[in-house]
C-alpha cells in the first residue's frame, strides 16, 4: 500500500510452455507498429529497437511464468497523472522478485512497459549512444518483444485491460511481467 495514493493490488500467475505462449500471444509486426509511435521508442534501454532479435532471449527456454498485477485505486476519478504513483511501488516489488527468480533459476525476466526504474527520468544514456548504466537490471517488456498484453490478460488471467478517459484513471491498472526459464515449475507465490 502506497501512503500517498491508496490502492489495492491483486496478483495472478500462470505457467505455460514458452513456445505455446509465443505462438498464441506474439504478434510482432502489429505490436512493433505501436512501439514505433511511442515517445520512448529508441530512447531508453528497455525499449526497441533492439540490437538483436529479442526472441533470442526467450526461445531457448521451455517455460513461461507470467505475472499480472491488478492495481485498483481506493479513490475514483483520479487524474491520469497519478498512474505512475500507483504503478511504481508494485512495479519495483515485482521486478525485484523477477530478477531474484532469474538469478536463482536462470532464464530471462521481462518487465513492465515504460521507462527504466534505475536511472532518473530523462537521464538514460541511450539517446547519447552510450552503454546502459544498469544492464544487470534493465529488462525489456513483453510488449517491446511483440507480445499482445491485451490478449494475455484477458485469456490467461480473465482481466480486461482498461484505459483512462477524459483525463481520469480507469477503474484499475494492470502490470504484466514474466520469466522464461527451464527450471520446471517456478512458484510465484511462496
Amino acid at each position: 500500500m502506497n501512503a500517498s495514493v491508496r490502492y489495492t493490488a491483486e496478483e495472478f500467475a500462470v505457467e505455460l510452455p514458452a513456445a505455446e505462449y509465443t505462438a498464441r500471444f506474439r504478434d510482432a509486426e502489429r505490436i512493433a507498429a505501436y512501439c514505433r509511435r511511442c515517445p520512448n521508442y529508441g530512447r531508453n534501454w528497455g525499449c526497441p529497437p533492439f540490437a538483436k532479435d529479442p526472441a533470442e532471449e526467450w526461445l531457448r527456454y521451455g517455460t513461461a511464468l507470467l505475472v499480472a498485477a491488478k492495481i485498483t485505486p481506493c479513490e475514483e476519478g483520479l487524474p491520469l497523472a497519478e498512474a505512475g504513483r500507483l504503478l511504481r511501488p508494485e512495479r519495483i516489488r515485482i521486478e525485484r522478485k523477477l530478477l531474484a527468480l532469474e538469478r536463482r533459476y536462470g532464464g530471462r525476466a521481462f518487465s513492465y512497459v515504460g521507462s527504466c526504474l534505475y536511472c532518473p527520468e530523462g537521464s538514460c544514456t541511450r539517446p547519447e549512444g552510450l552503454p546502459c548504466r544498469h544492464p544487470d537490471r534493465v529488462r525489456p517488456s513483453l510488449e517491446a518483444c511483440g507480445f499482445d498484453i491485451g490478449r494475455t490478460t484477458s485469456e490467461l488471467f480473465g482481466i480486461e485491460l482498461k484505459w483512462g478517459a477524459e483525463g481520469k484513471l480507469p477503474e484499475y491498472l494492470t502490470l504484466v511481467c514474466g520469466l522464461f526459464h527451464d527450471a520446471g515449475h517456478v512458484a510465484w507465490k511462496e
Side-chain angles (χ1 to χ4, degrees):
M1 182 77 67
N2 181 340
S4 59
V5 180
R6 294 173 31 98
Y7 65 89
T8 60
E10 295 175 81
E11 215 170 70
F12 307 86
V14 66
E15 275 189 318
L16 68 159
E20 178 185 337
Y21 181 61
T22 301
R24 284 180 55 199
F25 296 96
R26 188 168 190 238
D27 188 348
E29 300 278 328
R30 183 173 61 84
I31 305 299
Y34 299 140
C35 287
R36 285 189 292 274
R37 288 182 274 192
C38 176
N40 284 331
Y41 186 80
R43 304 221 25 96
N44 76 63
W45 287 110
C47 290
F50 299 112
K52 62 182 182 177
D53 182 0
E56 292 177 25
E57 293 290 329
W58 77 81
L59 285 177
R60 67 183 111 167
Y61 301 109
T63 304
L65 167 66
L66 300 165
V67 178
K70 183 177 176 182
I71 302 160
T72 306
C74 292
E75 184 181 333
E76 290 182 22
L78 290 173
L80 278 172
E82 294 295 324
R85 291 194 329 160
L86 285 164
L87 292 169
R88 187 172 175 80
E90 292 303 309
R91 183 172 168 208
I92 289 169
R93 184 183 60 74
I94 290 170
E95 282 190 27
R96 281 184 183 148
K97 190 170 180 180
L98 280 172
L99 290 174
L101 289 173
E102 184 184 274
R103 285 188 300 274
R104 182 174 179 188
Y105 295 107
R108 184 66 169 174
F110 290 85
S111 69
Y112 171 71
V113 71
S115 60
C116 168
L117 291 173
Y118 308 105
C119 291
E121 191 170 331
S123 70
C124 182
T125 58
R126 188 171 183 183
E128 287 80 42
L130 299 172
C132 177
R133 291 181 194 105
H134 306 284
D136 57 322
R137 294 185 280 175
V138 172
R139 297 294 181 269
S141 68
L142 291 165
E143 297 95 314
C145 297
F147 287 98
D148 185 330
I149 297 306
R151 281 194 57 220
T152 297
T153 60
S154 101
E155 293 182 28
L156 296 180
F157 301 109
I159 303 170
E160 294 301 320
L161 285 185
K162 300 282 185 174
W163 304 98
E166 298 177 9
K168 304 291 182 194
L169 287 174
E171 110 186 50
Y172 58 83
L173 302 169
T174 309
L175 293 174
V176 179
C177 306
L179 174 70
F180 288 74
H181 63 86
D182 281 330
H185 171 69
V186 172
W188 179 253
K189 296 180 182 181
E190 294 178 351

